[in-house]
Amino acid sequence: MATVEDTEPAVTEAVSLKYDRDNEYAKILDKKEKCFKVYESYYAIAFLEKNPLAEGHTVVIPKLMGYEDVVSMPAEKAAKLLGEVQEVARGVKEAFGADGVNIVQENGTAAGQRVMHPNFHIIPRKADDGVKMAPPSASSKLSDDAAAPLIAKLTEALEPKRQPVKLRQAKWGTISDIMPDTSGANLRVKVLEEPKKTPNDSGSRDFYEFLCGDHTGTVVASLSEQQVENVKKDAVIALRNGHVTMHGKSSGFIRIIVDRWGKVEACDEELEGEVPTQDSNNRSKTEYELVEMQSGGKGKNKGKGEEWSKGKGKGKGKGKGKGW
């Protein structure tokens, strides 16, 4: 017979007023009762069951006291215990040449738990060994209709309803803020003309373009057929998460587009101020030129890039320019 080692004492957590410190396994941990110990670690001990169902029937318990069953244990501590159970189960299977093992674990007296301390019973098994486990009680197959309310109950228990996340209010920009490298723009604009179908040079789907604006200026929007379904002249719409694409190769004009990560929707709010319709306020009338820019850095930081530069000619600054 053996006792728990003095160098690795059991630990008690006062988490349950129901926990009985005089239960059989607590007494083993407190060295009030002896056991046929076969394994011990910092977290657990294993010992032979005194009323075995098969040769080598072993019990694994945590040294931690204060919890009546595995369900009530903190997840991280239960996980450590399960690692010890796996280790012992492998040893039991090897030591007794078993073809398999039953790992039996009960939670609560209604489930058959006899000692109110977390425990796992490891029972080595061989083919036709005659060991009698609990007989099956299921008499019929679970139907779809019978499963539905059970799924609902479990889903509610395992995935509690979360408080709705309060979405951040969009930060609205203006057309005067738009530049060739603009992305993530949120704009409220008035549609100034009916969308016109524009063939795509690349041969992919066609786009629909229309002039729109706010109190700071106008710009051409380029949207897909699905996005312009509700876009009508004089309507106020919101372009969410829009970004700029340049219409042209070596020289280009600004177009605002909304890809699949954005959204085009009707807007009930009135637009602030009047929309200036002069060409001088049309961002899509300003021509940009793609110019090459060479950085003045050294080593890996030295290199070339491309930028869009307003107007024609080379950009200012050190080295060659290539940008819009």
Side-chain angles (χ1 to χ4, degrees), residues 46-59:
F47 47 86
L48 294 175
E49 165 61 35
K50 62 185 178 182
N51 298 303
L53 291 177
E55 184 183 42
H57 181 166
T58 302
V59 181

Side-chain angles (χ1 to χ4, degrees), residues 34-66:
K34 294 184 178 181
C35 67
F36 300 105
K37 186 175 70 173
V38 297
Y39 172 85
E40 182 171 1
S41 71
Y42 186 81
Y43 300 106
I45 66 167
F47 47 86
L48 294 175
E49 165 61 35
K50 62 185 178 182
N51 298 303
L53 291 177
E55 184 183 42
H57 181 166
T58 302
V59 181
V60 182
I61 65 172
K63 288 185 174 180
L64 181 67
M65 291 188 282

Side-chain angles (χ1 to χ4, degrees), residues 43-282:
Y43 300 106
I45 66 167
F47 47 86
L48 294 175
E49 165 61 35
K50 62 185 178 182
N51 298 303
L53 291 177
E55 184 183 42
H57 181 166
T58 302
V59 181
V60 182
I61 65 172
K63 288 185 174 180
L64 181 67
M65 291 188 282
Y67 301 95
E68 291 192 333
D69 50 37
V70 172
V71 170
S72 62
M73 293 179 68
E76 69 278 5
K77 293 177 180 177
K80 290 176 180 177
L81 174 60
L82 189 58
E84 304 288 355
V85 170
Q86 184 187 54
E87 181 76 16
V88 174
R90 287 172 175 167
V92 168
K93 185 178 180 183
E94 179 183 348
F96 296 96
D99 299 320
V101 293
N102 285 115
I103 300 178
V104 182
Q105 208 284 309
E106 295 114 356
N107 287 268
T109 54
Q113 185 178 2
R114 183 178 58 84
V115 182
M116 304 312 290
H117 181 92
N119 62 85
F120 287 81
H121 286 247
I122 300 171
I123 306 163
R125 300 296 304 275
K126 294 181 180 179
D128 302 320
D129 58 12
V131 174
K132 302 294 183 183
M133 304 298 290
S137 59
S139 58
S140 61
K141 184 178 179 180
L142 184 65
S143 67
D144 292 346
D145 290 340
L150 306 181
I151 293 171
K153 287 182 179 181
L154 281 170
T155 301
E156 185 176 358
L158 295 172
E159 299 180 9
K161 292 181 180 179
R162 297 181 175 88
Q163 293 295 325
V165 178
K166 188 176 181 180
L167 299 177
R168 292 183 299 174
Q169 293 293 323
K171 184 178 180 180
W172 298 103
T174 61
I175 288 175
S176 62
D177 298 327
I178 294 175
M179 297 299 290
D181 59 352
T182 291
S183 63
N186 296 304
L187 303 170
R188 275 197 290 248
V189 297
K190 182 177 181 180
V191 179
L192 301 178
E193 59 186 12
E194 294 295 338
K196 300 181 183 67
K197 186 176 181 179
T198 304
N200 193 326
D201 295 337
S202 65
S204 59
R205 61 181 181 174
D206 294 328
F207 287 87
Y208 290 76
E209 294 191 340
F210 57 94
L211 188 67
C212 59
D214 61 15
H215 69 284
T216 67
T218 57
V219 70
V220 173
S222 183
L223 303 179
S224 68
E225 184 175 3
Q226 292 76 19
Q227 290 173 325
V228 296
E229 285 182 354
N230 298 316
V231 176
K232 305 296 181 185
K233 184 180 178 182
D234 295 327
V236 176
I237 61 172
L239 305 177
R240 294 178 179 269
N241 200 29
H243 64 270
V244 165
T245 183
M246 300 303 292
H247 185 70
K249 294 183 179 179
S250 60
S251 63
F253 300 87
I254 284 176
R255 295 288 188 275
I256 187 78
I257 68 171
V258 178
D259 60 20
R260 60 176 178 164
W261 307 113
K263 191 174 183 180
V264 180
E265 59 187 0
C267 189
D268 296 329
E269 299 180 32
E270 291 292 329
L271 203 62
E272 177 186 344
E274 294 294 324
V275 177
T277 56
Q278 300 90 339
D279 285 351
S280 59
N281 294 106
N282 187 341

Side-chain angles (χ1 to χ4, degrees), residues 4-17:
V4 180
E5 296 293 338
D6 293 334
T7 56
E8 296 174 341
V11 179
T12 302
E13 287 193 3
V15 296
S16 174
L17 296 176

